[in-house]
Amino acid sequence: MSERPSVLFVCVHNAGRSQMAAAFLAHLSGGRVDVRSAGSEPADQVNPAAVAAMAELGIDITAEKPKVLTDQAVIASDVVITMGCGDTCPFYPGKRYEDWVLDDPAGRGVDAVRPIRDEIRRRVESLVAELLPATAG
């Protein structure tokens, strides 16, 4: 892994789960991790319920736009976390891959998105602890 770790979050539409995960990682890592997100079939916009759920925690993702998954994004990442993109995610030896099984927030209201958001946060907190272990003082 590089000195500054890089993580790519991938879901189908890059409109909900991967956007929330990327925002949490950027926020919780204090910018010490390069964060990317993409989708195998990107939507036109980020899911409004995901935007609202993140805003409740003071994290603004209104400026984010769904992006298409590219080989270059995978190559540039140390860790690739998929969330329901199946076999569409390119595989490169030497990369760390994880598949996070999470409900898709597409078409759901903010009440249904909150538990998904909270589970993503728990997983991202664990990821941050792995990627950026506290240094002994």
Side-chain angles (χ1 to χ4, degrees):
M1 188 159 320
S2 56
E3 195 171 301
R4 180 181 168 97
S6 58
V7 177
L8 170 64
F9 293 101
V10 182
C11 67
V12 175
H13 300 296
N14 189 219
R17 295 168 289 186
S18 57
Q19 291 286 351
M20 290 188 287
F24 274 131
L25 183 54
H27 178 76
L28 295 170
S29 73
R32 295 176 292 158
V33 175
D34 288 330
V35 182
R36 297 174 183 82
S37 71
S40 53
E41 298 174 25
D44 294 330
Q45 66 179 14
V46 175
N47 180 334
V51 171
M54 295 301 284
E56 291 175 350
L57 301 179
I59 299 174
D60 182 4
I61 62 171
T62 57
E64 297 301 323
K65 303 280 183 237
K67 296 166 282 305
V68 69
L69 175 64
T70 65
D71 285 353
Q72 292 78 14
V74 176
I75 292 167
S77 301
D78 298 310
V79 180
V80 179
I81 297 176
T82 59
M83 303 173 189
C85 72
D87 295 335
T88 60
C89 189
F91 179 82
Y92 289 91
K95 303 289 175 190
R96 172 179 162 189
Y97 288 86
E98 289 185 25
D99 185 47
W100 291 0
V101 178
L102 297 159
D103 290 336
D104 188 348
R108 298 179 183 209
V110 72
D111 288 340
V113 172
R114 282 186 195 108
I116 300 167
R117 174 203 65 195
D118 295 344
E119 177 60 22
I120 290 170
R121 182 181 187 136
R122 281 189 287 279
R123 293 179 190 211
V124 170
E125 286 170 343
S126 294
L127 183 64
V128 168
E130 290 175 37
L131 294 176
L132 302 171
T135 55

